[in-house]
Amino acid sequence: MSLENVLKSAVRNIREGRLDLAELDLKSAKGMAPNHPLVWYYDGVVQFRMHNFEAAASSMKKSIELGVPGPEDAYYYMGFSYMRLKRYDEAIDSLEKAISIRPDIPVFYYVLSACYADKGEKRKAVETIDKAIALDPENEAFKELKQDIERLL
């Protein structure tokens, strides 16, 4: 099977929630093309969804180093993974890179705001969640996070 078909299978398995099969596809893909950025990107997605945040961050970092197209998503996953690992400075750095590429994605600000809140930087957290709300004013999760942060101020 070609690399393209293996990656298509991995993506299909990810979409269908068959992460164990996607992981097997990606193991095969790594053997076929160990320096292909999409192999590492999709591996990062699988690891993230399996809550293997250290592996997810590592795979996303490698995908970026190898030149993954549209790196903002890789930076987002990497940042979210670092947040789950309570490595807030690395999370903030990654999320800010995602935002510098695509400042129009509200969820990037949402996760960044949560990082600031967890780190105890409440004013930055409010400023950041306000940016998410400005981009998506109807999102209830954004409004709830802002209320939670403001209660902590």
Side-chain angles (χ1 to χ4, degrees):
M1 192 177 331
S2 71
L3 176 63
E4 181 180 346
N5 287 337
V6 172
L7 289 176
K8 284 181 182 179
S9 177
V11 170
R12 184 175 50 256
N13 284 323
I14 292 168
R15 285 187 183 139
E16 294 174 2
R18 298 186 310 233
L19 300 177
D20 54 338
L21 295 177
E23 193 171 36
L24 289 173
D25 288 334
L26 293 163
K27 183 177 180 182
S28 175
K30 287 176 192 174
M32 297 169 79
N35 292 316
H36 195 291
L38 288 177
V39 170
W40 293 99
Y41 173 79
Y42 291 125
D43 183 67
V45 171
V46 169
Q47 297 306 317
F48 181 85
R49 291 192 180 178
M50 294 174 78
H51 296 218
N52 297 329
F53 299 115
E54 190 71 50
S58 177
S59 289
M60 288 301 173
K61 183 176 182 179
K62 186 162 186 166
S63 78
I64 292 165
E65 289 169 353
L66 293 170
V68 70
E72 65 274 9
D73 288 337
Y75 280 119
Y76 167 75
Y77 277 111
M78 190 166 60
F80 202 137
S81 296
Y82 285 138
M83 183 185 78
R84 296 297 299 265
L85 294 166
K86 300 185 185 321
R87 292 165 54 183
Y88 299 114
D89 290 335
E90 291 165 288
I92 290 167
D93 182 59
S94 296
L95 292 162
E96 286 177 345
K97 287 177 181 169
I99 290 167
S100 74
I101 298 167
R102 289 291 308 271
D104 60 324
I105 307 293
V107 73
F108 293 177
Y109 295 97
Y110 175 77
V111 177
L112 180 58
S113 179
C115 287
Y116 283 130
D118 288 349
K119 194 175 173 191
E121 296 183 30
K122 307 305 181 202
R123 295 202 194 297
K124 282 187 178 181
V126 169
E127 291 170 9
T128 306
I129 197 62
D130 282 344
K131 291 176 184 176
I133 292 169
L135 290 168
D136 186 358
E138 302 305 315
N139 190 306
E140 291 302 317
F142 297 173
K143 294 174 189 177
E144 288 175 24
L145 179 59
K146 182 173 181 173
Q147 289 174 350
D148 291 344
I149 294 166
E150 287 176 335
R151 276 196 293 272
L152 298 174
L153 284 174

